[in-house]
Amino acid sequence: MDSNEQQIVPDRRLLPADNHVHTEWSWDASTAVMEQACERALAIGLPAIAFTDHADFTAWAFPGQQAETPVVRVIDTHARSGLLDVDGYWECLEHCRARFPDLKILAGVELGEPHLFAAETSSLVQLRDFQRVLGSLHSLEVDGQLHYAPTVFTADTAMETMRTYLAETLRMVESSSIFGILAHIDYPMRAWPKTAKPFDSADYQEEYRAVLRALASSGRALEVNTGGPWPADNVLRWWREEGGEAVSFGSDSHEPSTVGKNFALAAAMVESVGFRPGKHPIDFWRR
């Protein structure tokens, strides 16, 4: 093998842990395989990976069907729901830990709208030792029903809806302490209408800062999610200015090939605003 063919072994100290990965145990990632995600993490040099499969307690309704509970919480038709099979997930997790001893594998869960389902989420996280618990806002209430947030955005109402989304995110942060990481504060950007005024985080600085201030005061971490449009540099600067101490990285991968997606670029951006790697590979980055 000549010098041009030598395999480059990645330096895993340069990349953060991926704290937001989905597998076949998530209702929206049926083709993902936990073992393949581990293989991908090792191949690209990640020091650790956290499997944070979805746990959603929303009663989902479909066209022509009645909801399973008297309270109809509709998240349109973007996915079929189900509770997380904790026992099945855990068995798979332990299998991967045994098979991949050189990779730090963390147990996790992504809780949808945990402030609306306090009893259910509390019962779930007590079942096992989840090391990464994400809090996510995927839904917004419209006329008394929850709808999948991206479907609520229209060109005419995008700015108003974004403010509503951030206001509800603030309510989630202030009223639920069950999660340790706020996931994808940039979530609505994934469905920003092309004909709406171009998204500019500066238009919502007051709303962003309110969320970040509340999160910082609770001692929790803000996620930089590389699964869609990233939070702008100034959102991370506001996070630091509002007292935020910790940053978590998440690919939001729903298939093995996207584990650790764009992490080198994301790490450079986070470092540019004053956050640094911790002492251990699984640590959050801190100021």
Side-chain angles (χ1 to χ4, degrees):
M1 178 183 295
D2 63 33
S3 59
N4 292 328
E5 294 177 332
Q6 291 179 357
Q7 182 179 8
I8 298 176
V9 179
D11 184 346
R12 61 185 56 222
R13 292 174 301 173
L14 300 178
L15 295 175
D18 192 338
N19 287 317
H20 190 159
V21 176
H22 296 282
T23 73
E24 65 268 36
W25 299 99
S26 281
W27 48 258
D28 62 347
S30 60
T31 61
V33 178
M34 191 181 289
E35 289 189 45
Q36 293 178 5
C38 292
E39 292 170 352
R40 167 71 177 173
L42 286 169
I44 65 175
L46 292 184
I49 188 170
F51 292 114
T52 53
D53 285 307
H54 287 290
D56 289 296
F57 294 90
T58 304
W60 302 56
F62 299 92
Q65 297 181 7
Q66 295 295 319
E68 295 179 358
T69 66
V71 179
V72 182
R73 295 187 173 93
V74 181
I75 306 187
D76 299 327
T77 58
H78 78 293
R80 293 189 178 277
S81 178
L83 299 183
L84 175 64
D85 177 357
V86 176
D87 291 338
Y89 161 88
W90 208 267
E91 181 180 354
C92 188
L93 185 85
E94 293 294 0
H95 170 78
C96 287
R97 284 173 168 169
R99 182 180 172 189
F100 303 98
D102 294 332
L103 178 67
K104 183 66 176 178
I105 301 174
L106 305 179
V109 63
E110 181 177 5
L111 303 175
E113 293 78 52
H115 60 312
L116 302 181
F117 303 97
E120 293 90 339
T121 54
S122 177
S123 294
L124 184 141
V125 299
Q126 291 178 36
L127 293 175
R128 300 283 184 167
D129 179 21
F130 291 105
Q131 297 155 291
R132 294 289 185 263
V133 178
L134 311 183
S136 294
L137 184 67
H138 299 117
S139 312
L140 286 176
E141 184 176 304
V142 178
D143 297 329
Q145 296 179 344
L146 287 179
H147 291 261
Y148 181 48
T151 66
V152 177
F153 282 77
T154 67
D156 293 336
T157 66
M159 295 185 70
E160 176 185 354
T161 305
M162 183 65 194
R163 290 192 172 90
T164 300
Y165 180 88
L166 289 172
E168 186 64 17
T169 302
L170 175 61
R171 189 165 80 94
M172 183 176 77
V173 170
E174 290 181 331
S175 59
S176 175
S177 61
I178 198 169
F179 60 94
I181 302 170
L182 175 61
H184 48 52
I185 195 173
D186 54 318
Y187 194 71
M189 294 167 62
R190 301 182 184 186
W192 198 258
K194 294 181 179 179
T195 55
K197 179 182 181 291
F199 182 87
D200 183 348
S201 57
D203 291 334
Y204 317 96
Q205 180 174 173
E206 181 179 348
E207 291 84 359
Y208 267 116
R209 282 187 179 273
V211 174
L212 298 173
R213 188 160 51 249
L215 188 68
S217 67
S218 69
R220 289 178 279 186
L222 176 70
E223 178 185 83
V224 171
N225 187 299
T226 64
W230 305 354
D233 290 2
N234 54 358
V235 174
L236 285 171
R237 285 194 293 271
W238 297 336
W239 172 235
R240 195 175 192 278
E241 290 171 4
E242 294 296 342
E245 295 284 347
V247 172
S248 178
F249 295 81
S251 65
D252 209 348
S253 172
H254 284 68
E255 57 183 59
S257 64
T258 56
V259 168
K261 177 183 177 182
N262 290 325
F263 265 31
L265 293 173
M269 180 181 72
V270 171
E271 192 166 24
S272 73
V273 296
F275 292 88
R276 301 289 184 270
K279 293 181 180 180
H280 303 288
I282 66 170
D283 289 347
F284 296 136
W285 283 34
R286 296 186 179 275
R287 52 190 298 176

